Amino acid sequence: VSATLPADALRVLAPDAASTARLFATGVSQAYEYEADRAGRKTAWEVRMVRPRPEEAMLLVRNITQAREAQRRLTESEQRLSSMVRSTPLGVVVWNTDFTVAEWNPGAERVFGYSAQEAIGRHGRFIVGESARKYVDDIWRGLVANTGGFRSTNQNVRSDGVTIWCE
């Protein structure tokens, strides 16, 4: 154990009295996280206390350093993507599988003339011209079925009725 856990592992293995008291009083598992500094590197641990029998408590200790780092990188990546989508001059529309608008960026507001508040939740037909609906419906079915429909260039309609071509 000493080769795996940090030198101050007693803090992990000897949980605070309040958590122990709650565990024995309620029987409800307790969980907390703990960080240790080993040779200048932080290591994160998750500790769970469970009560297998009324007179026992068992600690489960798991190294969560890599999971925390992966979550941090994912969060940073999502924030970068969100920033790019918000700041691009291109109209970006994210669709739900039922072809309703899930996200509508400021570029889409400029291109189509609808605010995000007006667009989100609406079915996509509100911007698809009558002449393109069958084509777009076919593309959409292929996308949802994962059998095609990777991209489409077709006529769309702005809020002021002007027809535009979109990809």
Side-chain angles (χ1 to χ4, degrees), residues 95 99 111-112 124-137 139 151-159 161-167:
W95 304 98
F99 198 35
V111 168
F112 293 105
R125 288 183 172 250
F126 80 105
I127 60 169
V128 177
E130 190 66 43
S131 63
R133 286 192 177 163
K134 181 181 177 339
Y135 172 72
V136 171
D137 287 346
I139 294 289
R151 62 181 282 277
S152 169
T153 301
N154 56 273
Q155 289 184 337
N156 288 99
V157 180
R158 294 175 32 89
S159 65
V162 173
T163 299
I164 58 175
W165 284 92
C166 295
E167 182 175 349

Side-chain angles (χ1 to χ4, degrees), residues 55-93:
E55 70 281 359
E56 293 179 346
M58 182 169 53
L59 296 180
L60 307 169
V61 182
R62 179 172 70 115
N63 185 333
I64 59 169
T65 307
Q66 288 180 335
R68 263 199 188 170
E69 179 60 20
Q71 183 59 50
R72 184 192 63 75
R73 286 192 311 266
L74 176 62
T75 299
E76 285 178 359
S77 177
E78 288 171 340
Q79 289 170 345
R80 274 192 309 273
L81 178 60
S82 178
S83 176
M84 286 187 281
V85 167
R86 280 191 317 275
S87 63
T88 183
L90 301 174
V92 178
V93 180

Side-chain angles (χ1 to χ4, degrees), residues 1-10 12-13 38 45 61:
V1 171
S2 62
T4 305
L5 293 176
D8 59 350
L10 285 179
V12 175
L13 300 176
R38 289 169 63 183
W45 301 90
V61 182

Side-chain angles (χ1 to χ4, degrees), residues 16-39:
D16 66 88
S19 293
T20 305
R22 267 193 309 276
L23 175 69
F24 280 102
T26 65
V28 175
S29 298
Q30 303 293 306
Y32 60 96
E33 292 182 4
Y34 159 77
E35 280 191 1
D37 193 330
R38 289 169 63 183

